[in-house]
């Protein structure tokens, strides 16, 4: 699949129209999605209409004619939004989510809704990993990651509360960016945790991520994103998360650090501190998802999974004092990481604990992502290739995660491009 930046160049040169590009996307969906099952809803007539409108528009728009897939927990006025739940079958939002309005104003063609796990939580969806169908694409942004990995579309939007953007990107071996948690309007996005919910997106390159970020976050577009003037200063915490992370991932990170050389400082991971922060993330998530989904679970106990019923029950047992304490620990975690990023341009970690799990074993462990969801830090997942690639026992890759300080979204994108260039 041609990337978004390359399409815009071809379109400006008159060698490809938005209508032709959308047709190519639909042809690829028709070719493979009966096996991958990344899509919840497609309206071919609307896609054709929007693409034709993009071709005839006189305005120069940042995403003119670029197809974008939307996770099915984000409201779209012209398509159902079912939240991955039987409770909301056929549900039609009254208006677009704020970010959908922004995408449309930038000229994007909204291709349809991608499959999500139920309420963006732990119950696996039907979507398969495009690289090996026996494996999971991750969750909860299952369809968004898989659709980009399968070459159905160049760009897709997802959300992350625990690890639901960066982890699927790792499993499906695509690029992903989760900006600073406050960077993107969440109006019209399903709220499971008011403290932790954030929006991210998937693409096949850092340039394409930068293009979408320029619209949704306000960072510079790729043609105006200057390269770094000097090598960044990077940190890697050795042994981070201990035996939760597979040995070959630890080994792969060590090889990456060696390849990058003196720009990487290696320090012992502050395991006890991080474990405390992760426990606060879990407590906040349990309380808030229980509070937000409690009415649905109580009204429709036969239509929600055991995962949802359990978290609602668990959240209701947590005291207000413990919840308030966890919020204070979140503030502490943010201050701790901001102190780290005052000395470094980025922290290198794994995007996931290992390769994608088998489909029947669920959507995987978000341990490598929850700290950044707690802090709201911008994160980039890079699916490295060649000698730098971290490869699991079944040949599936593990992404390299680059995290930066709050509000330093553009710096993270620039540093990610630099790392890819260095590692070939």
């Amino acid at each position: 699949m041609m990337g978004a930046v390359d399409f815009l160049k071809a379109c400006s040169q008159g060698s490809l129209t938005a209508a032709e590009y959308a047709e190519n996307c639909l042809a690829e969906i028709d070719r493979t999605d009966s096996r991958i099952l990344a899509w919840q809803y497609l309206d071919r007539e609307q896609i054709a209409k929007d693409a034709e409108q993009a071709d005839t528009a006189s305005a120069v728009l940042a995403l003119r004619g670029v197809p974008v897939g939307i996770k099915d927990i984000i409201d779209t006025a012209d398509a159902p939004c079912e939240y991955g739940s039987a409770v909301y079958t056929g549900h039609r939002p009254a208006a677009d989510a704020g970010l959908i309005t922004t995408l449309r104003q930038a000229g994007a063609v909204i291709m349809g809704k991608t499959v999500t796990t139920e309420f963006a939580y732990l119950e696996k969806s039907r979507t398969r990993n495009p690289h090996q169908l026996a494996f999971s694409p991750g969750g909860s942004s299952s369809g968004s990651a898989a659709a980009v990995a399968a070459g159905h579309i160049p760009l897709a939007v997802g959300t992350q509360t625990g690890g639901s953007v960066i982890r699927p990107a790792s499993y499906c071996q695509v690029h992903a960016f989760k900006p600073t948690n406050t960077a993107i309007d969440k109006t019209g996005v399903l709220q499971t945790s008011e403290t932790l919910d954030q929006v991210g997106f998937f693409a096949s390159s850092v340039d394409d991520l930068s293009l979408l970020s320029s619209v949704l976050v306000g960072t510079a577009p790729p043609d105006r994103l200057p390269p770094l003037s000097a090598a960044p200063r990077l940190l890697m915490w050795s042994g981070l998360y201990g035996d939760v992370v597979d040995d070959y991932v630890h080994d792969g990170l060590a090889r990456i650090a060696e390849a990058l050389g003196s720009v990487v400082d290696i320090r012992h991971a502050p395991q006890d501190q991080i474990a405390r922060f992760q426990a606060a993330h879990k407590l906040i998530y349990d309380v808030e998802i229980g509070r937000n989904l409690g009415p649905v679970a109580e009204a429709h106990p036969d239509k929600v999974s055991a995962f949802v019923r359990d978290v609602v029950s668990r959240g209701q047992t947590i005291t207000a004092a413990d919840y308030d304490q966890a919020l204070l620990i979140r503030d502490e975690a943010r201050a701790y990481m901001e102190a780290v990023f005052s000395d470094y341009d980025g922290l290198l970690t794994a995007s996931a604990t290992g390769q994608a799990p088998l489909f029947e074993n669920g959507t995987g462990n978000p341990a490598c992502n929850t700290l950044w969801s707690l802090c709201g830090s911008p994160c980039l997942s890079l699916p490295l290739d060649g000698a730098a690639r971290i490869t699991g026992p079944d040949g599936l890759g593990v992404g390299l995660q680059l995290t930066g300080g709050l509000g330093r979204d553009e710096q993270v994108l620039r540093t990610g491009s630099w790392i890819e260039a260095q590692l070939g």
Side-chain angles (χ1 to χ4, degrees):
M1 169 59 61
M2 176 184 286
V5 171
D6 287 342
F7 159 69
L8 289 172
K9 185 181 299 182
C11 190
S12 69
Q13 295 170 348
S15 59
L16 186 65
T17 67
E20 290 168 339
Y21 193 35
E23 287 172 7
N24 292 343
C25 291
L26 288 170
E28 195 60 27
I29 291 170
D30 289 341
R31 191 178 74 82
T32 65
D33 199 52
S34 61
R35 301 187 300 277
I36 297 168
L37 305 174
W39 292 92
Q40 183 69 25
Y41 180 86
L42 290 165
D43 184 336
R44 293 167 189 270
E45 290 185 4
Q46 188 65 50
I47 291 168
K49 179 180 176 182
D50 291 347
E52 182 180 351
Q53 184 176 344
D55 282 328
T56 57
S58 58
V60 178
L61 301 171
L63 296 176
R64 179 177 171 182
V66 176
V68 182
I70 305 298
K71 183 177 181 178
D72 196 30
I73 67 164
I74 300 171
D75 284 353
T76 41
D78 58 358
C81 190
E82 298 178 335
Y83 312 127
S85 169
V87 175
Y88 286 93
T89 299
H91 168 65
R92 287 271 182 168
D96 281 338
L99 71 91
I100 299 297
T101 299
T102 301
L103 290 172
R104 293 194 200 276
Q105 289 172 344
V109 173
I110 304 300
M111 283 292 289
K113 307 304 284 289
T114 55
V115 172
T116 177
T117 64
E118 177 200 35
F119 296 119
Y121 195 52
L122 296 179
E123 181 68 67
K124 64 179 179 289
S125 73
R126 65 179 184 273
T127 305
R128 300 286 181 143
N129 192 307
H131 299 295
Q132 292 193 44
L133 298 177
F135 290 83
S136 171
S140 60
S141 304
S142 313
S144 291
V148 171
H152 293 171
I153 44 173
L155 301 173
V157 179
T159 63
Q160 177 164 307
T161 307
S164 295
V165 169
I166 300 299
R167 187 171 84 261
S170 181
Y171 292 168
C172 292
Q173 285 293 276
V174 295
H175 291 72
F177 184 48
K178 184 201 74 61
T180 297
N181 63 318
T182 55
I184 299 176
D185 181 9
K186 292 187 285 291
T187 304
V189 179
L190 173 69
Q191 178 177 278
T192 59
S193 170
E194 52 270 35
T195 301
L196 304 171
D197 290 343
Q198 40 218 288
V199 177
F201 35 91
F202 304 86
S204 59
S205 68
V206 175
D207 274 357
D208 278 7
L209 290 177
S210 298
L211 175 67
L212 189 49
S213 179
S214 71
V215 172
L216 291 178
V217 181
T219 53
D223 60 346
R224 296 204 296 275
L225 194 66
L228 295 178
S229 57
R233 188 179 182 200
L234 302 172
L235 174 65
M236 185 179 286
W237 281 330
S238 64
L240 182 61
Y241 307 123
D243 59 8
V244 172
V245 173
D246 290 331
D247 287 344
Y248 65 85
V249 178
H250 287 303
D251 293 342
L253 290 171
R255 289 196 309 273
I256 289 169
E258 183 178 3
L260 290 173
S262 61
V263 303
V264 181
D265 286 347
I266 299 177
R267 301 284 184 264
H268 291 297
Q271 304 281 36
D272 292 344
Q273 191 78 291
I274 290 173
R276 182 166 172 267
F277 296 155
Q278 289 180 309
H281 172 279
K282 184 178 186 306
L283 191 147
I284 293 167
Y285 198 5
D286 283 355
V287 170
E288 293 183 354
I289 195 172
R291 189 162 61 204
N292 286 307
L293 295 185
V296 176
E298 290 164 10
H300 305 278
D302 57 330
K303 290 186 176 181
V304 300
S305 69
F307 285 116
V308 170
R309 293 195 300 272
D310 288 349
V311 74
V312 167
S313 298
R314 193 164 64 242
Q316 291 172 346
T317 67
I318 296 171
T319 67
D322 285 344
Y323 173 64
D324 289 342
Q325 179 62 28
L327 291 175
L328 291 175
I329 294 172
R330 175 185 182 250
D331 293 340
E332 181 185 334
R334 287 162 68 98
Y336 183 91
M337 289 313 307
E338 285 307 290
V340 169
F341 291 125
S342 68
D343 293 327
Y344 292 96
D345 298 307
L347 174 69
L348 296 178
T349 64
S351 297
T353 59
Q355 68 170 32
L358 288 167
F359 177 80
E360 60 265 25
N361 291 339
T363 61
N365 187 339
C368 292
N369 319 116
T370 53
L371 176 57
W372 319 125
S373 295
L374 179 72
C375 295
S377 311
C379 302
L380 178 66
S381 186
L382 302 172
L384 301 176
D385 207 352
R389 186 177 193 262
I390 303 173
T391 305
D394 296 286
L396 294 165
V398 179
L400 176 67
Q401 183 173 210
L402 171 68
T403 304
L406 290 169
R408 301 180 195 174
D409 304 88
E410 191 168 295
Q411 181 187 60
V412 168
L413 292 167
R414 294 171 67 199
T415 304
S417 293
W418 184 91
I419 290 170
E420 283 195 327
Q422 299 304 304
L423 296 176

